[in-house]
Amino acid sequence: MINKKNLWFLTLFSLVLVLSIYYVTMPNELFDTNIKETSVDNTNTKVEEVSVVAALKVEDDTLVMDKINKLKEKLTDTSISTDEKNTVFEELKLINKNSSKEETLEVKIKELCSCENFVKIDGDNVRVVLDSSDSSTNSANEIMRLVQKEFDDKMYISVKYN
């Protein structure tokens, strides 16, 4: 006789199996996205001084978008195997997970310190850059504790003030 645990397991396993088959058999046209780059006419505009945090955010966004586009190209490539597509898909999920975690941490740090900040997660390293001249050890420790609370594993956290 099937008990509740086995029934739930079979139900969830069936759902995962159906979704996996659907994903593998999806047409590649669904993954094709054309990102249009916008150009700005800079003939009569003045360049304003940009903070380090804003520059880091723009640079990181550019790198992440490039990586996502390369992974999407691999995902739509018909010459790679299903296992490779699954690996690429897992990388995309990790990028999205890290991006959302970074945004969450930026909001929490902004509430704590009342200053603009940049957070970058790279494996088990977390880099925090604050746009503040108030550099105290206590606030850095508070930020490190706040960041570590978001993770189950031990993270190596660095805090830098500008």
Side-chain angles (χ1 to χ4, degrees), residues 36 61 78 141:
K36 296 179 182 177
D61 286 345
T78 57
N141 284 335

Side-chain angles (χ1 to χ4, degrees), residues 83-100:
D83 291 336
E84 291 172 328
K85 283 186 178 184
N86 287 336
T87 304
V88 169
F89 185 71
E90 291 299 320
E91 286 181 50
L92 279 170
K93 280 178 30 179
L94 180 65
I95 290 172
N96 287 333
K97 179 183 172 189
N98 283 345
S99 294
S100 65

